[in-house]
Amino acid sequence: MTLKNFDGLTRVIRYPKKEWLTLDRNYYNTFIEVAADCPASSASVPPVNKKGKTKAAIEYELLSAHPYAFTQEDLLFEVHARHKGIPEEELIGQRTAFFQKPQPCFRSSMLPKKYGWGIHFNEAGKAAMVAMDSPGYEKFLNGEASGVKRVKAMRNKREQTDAKKR
């Protein structure tokens, strides 16, 4: 891999193992809880705006139609491809380019942050939505699902420190 330094010099980095270049961005046996500051009191369908479907609406559409069919990586790319309208024949090359850049994880998705949906990833890393007002969501919160790690979705707003509040 060739990188340009901040001083303009080019240097070559050699990785001893090819596996180091491949990152697994998927969650396994994990439940993403609704954000603490989520405005929803129950799960709702993300609206479609005038310009078309939002990323949240596409995520909802895919996960509601195909529970436990997509990994986080598959879902991130499929949402990107549908949102940008990438033709099917360009998808393979675009996927590689898409993951060359850092991508946000599903903790930052609007489904758990704004619309009241928890996201469960099973042992194979496949995702499904769980409504915050459902018995299934309560089972995850109460720890009744054994071996499942719980993480919260990212907050919508930063908490202000005491110094900033003054």
Side-chain angles (χ1 to χ4, degrees), residues 114-126:
K114 186 175 180 181
Y115 297 107
W117 293 96
I119 310 292
H120 175 243
F121 293 90
N122 65 12
E123 62 279 347
K126 308 287 183 163

Side-chain angles (χ1 to χ4, degrees), residues 15-76:
Y15 291 98
K17 294 183 179 180
K18 188 175 182 180
E19 300 88 52
W20 290 7
L21 298 174
T22 335
L23 297 175
D24 186 355
R25 296 174 176 91
N26 296 315
Y27 284 107
Y28 298 93
N29 291 324
T30 304
F31 182 68
I32 299 176
E33 298 175 22
V34 172
D37 62 346
C38 177
S41 57
S42 64
S44 61
V45 178
V48 177
N49 65 22
K50 294 175 187 173
K51 295 179 184 176
K53 292 181 183 174
T54 61
K55 286 187 176 186
I58 297 169
E59 289 170 357
Y60 175 84
E61 181 182 275
L62 290 170
L63 286 173
S64 62
H66 309 286
Y68 296 112
F70 294 97
T71 64
Q72 176 177 255
E73 288 179 350
D74 295 339
L75 198 54
L76 286 172

Side-chain angles (χ1 to χ4, degrees), residues 91-151:
L91 288 180
I92 294 173
Q94 290 288 329
R95 184 178 173 104
T96 305
F98 178 73
F99 285 113
Q100 291 295 320
K101 298 176 186 172
Q103 300 299 325
C105 70
F106 240 76
R107 289 182 56 222
S108 65
S109 167
M110 285 295 132
L111 292 177
K113 285 177 68 173
K114 186 175 180 181
Y115 297 107
W117 293 96
I119 310 292
H120 175 243
F121 293 90
N122 65 12
E123 62 279 347
K126 308 287 183 163
M129 294 184 305
V130 183
M132 70 184 291
D133 49 348
S134 71
Y137 188 86
E138 289 300 318
K139 287 180 183 178
F140 284 112
L141 286 187
N142 297 333
E144 294 175 29
S146 63
V148 176
K149 179 182 173 183
R150 291 180 11 214
V151 294

